[in-house]
Amino acid sequence: MLSTKLRSCYFAISLLTISGTSIAQIDLSLYTSNYDKGEYQQVVNDLKLLTFDSFSPKHYELYVSSFSRIDLDDAEDAAERAITAYDDNAQMYLLHGRVMGQQASGSIFSALGYAKRALASFKKATNLEPTNTKYLNALMSFYLMAPSIAGGD
């Protein structure tokens, strides 16, 4: 009798896990769809309803990318949160580096600081995945486009 109850409990937990995964995937596809339509504020509003603890790297990617089209200061905060949550994920550092680069481009007084933070993130992404051309290209682009005072060459 006990083994039957244990099997039923295990089956119920398995169903919850499977359905939870499906729901998360559906939700993520809705966010992606809204992002693709250019509805960046809707993506941000919808993602704000979730807890940051439940964010996957893809959630952060959508969140940061949406904010980068709305408000760079909010994108900066979101990117900082992403690299804190996923400090071993090269994509999070790439996002962070891009936002810092955008901030540097739009700033006069803080440009140097933002550029140094962008460079650090691109280097970190490359260190995490040294053979991935996406991260190598981002780092090389920084070196080619940034002035030497900011770490470019």
Side-chain angles (χ1 to χ4, degrees):
M1 182 77 168
L2 182 59
S3 63
T4 304
K5 285 183 181 181
L6 283 175
R7 275 188 262 151
S8 297
C9 183
Y10 177 75
F11 179 71
I13 290 171
S14 296
L15 282 177
L16 286 173
T17 303
I18 291 169
S19 66
T21 301
S22 299
I23 289 169
Q25 289 172 345
I26 290 169
D27 287 346
L28 197 56
S29 68
L30 291 174
Y31 303 136
T32 303
S33 174
N34 285 337
Y35 182 85
D36 291 342
K37 292 181 209 170
E39 297 174 2
Y40 308 117
Q41 189 61 56
Q42 185 63 48
V43 173
V44 167
N45 291 343
D46 290 345
L47 287 171
K48 281 184 175 179
L49 297 175
L50 303 175
T51 62
F52 289 117
D53 292 342
S54 66
F55 272 32
S56 69
K58 185 63 179 172
H59 284 95
Y60 273 116
E61 189 172 343
L62 289 166
Y63 193 60
V64 172
S65 296
S66 293
F67 261 136
S68 70
R69 303 210 183 223
I70 300 168
D71 184 301
L72 282 178
D73 290 333
D74 289 336
E76 179 182 349
D77 293 340
E80 292 286 338
R81 187 180 295 272
I83 62 172
T84 300
Y86 291 98
D87 64 348
D88 61 346
N89 186 304
Q91 183 65 26
M92 297 302 99
Y93 283 96
L94 179 65
L95 284 171
H96 184 263
R98 287 179 177 165
V99 170
M100 294 302 104
Q102 288 177 308
Q103 286 281 49
S105 295
S107 175
I108 295 172
F109 300 110
S110 303
L112 186 58
Y114 284 125
K116 287 181 179 181
R117 291 169 64 192
L119 178 57
S121 285
F122 293 141
K123 284 181 176 179
K124 179 70 174 185
T126 303
N127 287 338
L128 288 169
E129 292 195 33
T131 60
N132 189 316
T133 57
K134 176 170 59 172
Y135 306 120
L136 292 168
N137 285 336
L139 181 59
M140 182 58 73
S141 293
F142 178 89
Y143 284 133
L144 293 173
M145 295 170 59
S148 60
I149 193 171
D153 196 342

